[in-house]
Amino acid sequence: MQEGVRLRAGASKGDIREKVWDYLEASGLAEFPRPVHHRIPNFKARKTLLVPTPRLRSGLFNKIVPPPGAAKETLRICATSQGIKEYSVPVGLDGKARVDLVVVGSVAVSEKGWRIGKGEGYADMEYAMMVSMGAVTEDTPVITIVHDCQVVDIAEELLGDHDLTVDYILTPTRTIKTNCKRPKPRGILWHKVSYEMLGKIPILKSLRYKEKQLGKDVTLQDEQPDLANANKSAALNEKAMAGNAGLQASAGSAQTGQQYVESDSLSPRLEGSGMITTVYVGNIPPNLRVSELKCALREFHAAPLRVNWQGAQHRAFLDYKDKATAESAVSSLKGLSLGGNTLRVELAKNQRNKGQVEINSQKRM
């Protein structure tokens, strides 16, 4: 451990973070942005890093595509968050990305390869998502670049099964091969993912849907019900599936070139309410069936009162009982990917009252 950062015996993760941050700030080693607290520290080491989408707001990967003949200053911008916005294109879940080397930031790391981040779990989640996507394997090396003062002793009992370890540590003066034997995360630990996290990281919704289709257990942290609630949920799901059996028999064979409107049994209760709010769903892939969309809507707890399927135009309109319910559906479906396309989901620009929707729906049928 580099002299300067002194830790007491039995130091917690929080203690280690504070000591390293305090030392970097007091010594002036950290670069912009300052203060360094609650951040992965930046310092000059003459190395270039490529980063994932900031805070995973709009996906996992962004591919930097500099303009032809880009000057040195433009290339410098490409390596910043501004460059991700201006010179990158997203890589979807079906982009068949393969990662040869993973570089992660750290607040502290031990020579054994045990790593502590800033406490928000994004690096651990990014790695787990790459595993789920097939972008990395257990043989993909993971390195971290830190200052010498960030290499400290870390007790193994501080680590959880979701924590990412590293294989190599690069400092301005050393290259450390950790020979770490602790297993890395083998995918997303859904029982540690909350609804709040799903809302903050939209791509998680698509990954969860994809893994559920493969038969994996994707029960969330907020979905650890008692047996009675589990049985009730299963009964409701069976009822919903039975209620849609007739629909799928007629619409399941409907290709995207056909137009289809389905009304829910709840809609008669809202006759004349004038509160219906419509959600627009665009960028629907040409081979997607209405039954597949409906299945996804149920999965993400966004089942509408009515579905207006316009497959030939690669879109659909979903009617909800009020604006709050529609906005909740938009939030739940944000980032959803079906058939290789990330759907465009937003409130429809032209909203109509309940009576108008009913009349127009009848005309379309």
Side-chain angles (χ1 to χ4, degrees):
M1 182 180 73
Q2 175 80 2
E3 184 178 354
V5 179
R6 300 184 182 278
L7 302 174
R8 61 177 176 80
S12 67
K13 283 186 174 181
D15 295 333
I16 296 172
R17 289 187 186 103
E18 290 301 324
K19 285 290 186 181
V20 172
W21 280 328
D22 288 346
Y23 184 84
L24 285 168
E25 190 65 31
S27 64
L29 290 171
E31 294 291 323
F32 176 85
R34 301 279 293 274
V36 73
H37 292 81
H38 306 291
R39 304 179 189 275
I40 296 297
N42 290 330
F43 58 90
K44 291 181 179 179
R46 301 196 178 195
K47 292 182 172 59
T48 301
L49 303 179
L50 298 178
V51 297
T53 304
R55 305 186 76 82
L56 303 176
R57 290 190 186 98
S58 57
L60 178 55
F61 293 120
N62 275 68
K63 181 180 179 181
I64 305 294
V65 183
K72 183 177 180 180
E73 178 61 20
T74 301
L75 294 176
R76 187 191 68 79
I77 293 175
C78 285
T80 67
S81 58
Q82 179 184 349
I84 294 177
K85 296 177 182 177
E86 297 182 5
Y87 301 109
S88 72
V89 293
V91 177
L93 295 182
D94 299 313
K96 309 300 181 185
R98 292 292 181 270
V99 176
D100 298 314
L101 178 69
V102 177
V103 182
V104 296
S106 301
V107 172
V109 65
S110 78
E111 292 189 9
K112 294 181 179 180
W114 302 336
R115 170 190 171 276
I116 294 178
K118 60 184 176 182
E120 296 182 357
Y122 280 103
D124 304 314
M125 179 57 72
E126 288 160 5
Y127 183 86
M129 291 167 68
M130 286 191 285
V131 173
S132 296
M133 293 171 60
V136 298
T137 70
E138 60 182 10
D139 297 322
T140 305
V142 178
I143 73 170
T144 189
I145 302 175
V146 297
H147 195 275
D148 291 276
C149 72
Q150 293 172 259
V151 183
V152 301
D153 294 326
I154 299 173
E156 186 174 11
E157 57 263 27
L158 297 178
L159 303 185
D161 52 2
H162 66 286
D163 284 317
L164 176 63
T165 57
V166 302
D167 302 301
Y168 296 90
I169 304 169
L170 304 184
T171 81
T173 65
R174 293 191 290 169
T175 298
I176 303 170
K177 184 176 181 180
T178 67
N179 295 311
C180 184
K181 303 301 182 184
R182 185 182 178 90
K184 294 181 176 65
R186 293 185 171 90
I188 299 171
L189 302 178
W190 292 107
H191 65 279
K192 293 192 175 184
V193 177
S194 65
Y195 281 126
E196 181 182 7
M197 189 176 292
L198 279 184
K200 290 181 178 179
I201 308 176
I203 195 175
L204 271 181
K205 300 172 188 175
S206 296
L207 280 172
R208 182 175 181 240
Y209 180 76
K210 187 175 181 180
E211 293 202 355
K212 184 169 185 177
Q213 297 299 102
L214 294 174
K216 296 184 179 181
D217 183 2
V218 294
T219 304
L220 299 180
Q221 185 181 82
D222 309 293
E223 297 177 336
Q224 305 294 328
D226 55 32
L227 184 59
N229 285 341
N231 290 338
K232 180 179 178 181
S233 177
L236 288 174
N237 285 338
E238 289 178 8
K239 183 178 179 181
M241 292 175 67
N244 285 297
L247 166 65
Q248 293 183 0
S250 60
S253 60
Q255 302 300 320
T256 56
Q258 296 175 302
Q259 189 160 291
Y260 170 78
V261 179
E262 177 233 347
S263 294
D264 187 283
S265 60
L266 293 175
S267 58
R269 305 178 193 173
L270 297 172
E271 191 72 45
S273 67
M275 297 175 62
I276 291 293
T277 301
T278 303
V279 169
Y280 167 81
V281 180
N283 198 33
I284 292 176
N287 60 343
L288 193 77
R289 298 175 183 270
V290 64
S291 58
E292 293 174 294
L293 175 63
K294 285 169 64 15
C295 180
L297 294 175
R298 289 194 300 270
E299 169 66 23
F300 289 101
H301 305 287
L305 301 177
R306 192 167 22 256
V307 176
N308 178 356
W309 175 259
Q310 299 182 9
Q313 289 76 38
H314 308 294
R315 68 189 183 191
F317 293 92
L318 316 176
D319 291 336
Y320 293 90
K321 65 179 182 179
D322 54 36
K323 186 175 181 181
T325 306
E327 289 177 339
S328 176
V330 170
S331 177
S332 296
L333 298 173
K334 183 179 180 183
L336 175 61
S337 178
L338 292 177
N341 286 13
T342 298
L343 304 185
R344 178 184 172 188
V345 185
E346 59 190 32
L347 292 181
K349 294 180 179 179
N350 296 320
Q351 295 293 334
R352 300 159 293 178
N353 64 35
K354 172 63 171 64
Q356 289 174 316
V357 171
E358 197 69 33
I359 292 171
N360 291 338
S361 295
Q362 291 173 358
K363 286 182 179 179
R364 286 191 290 266
M365 293 179 72

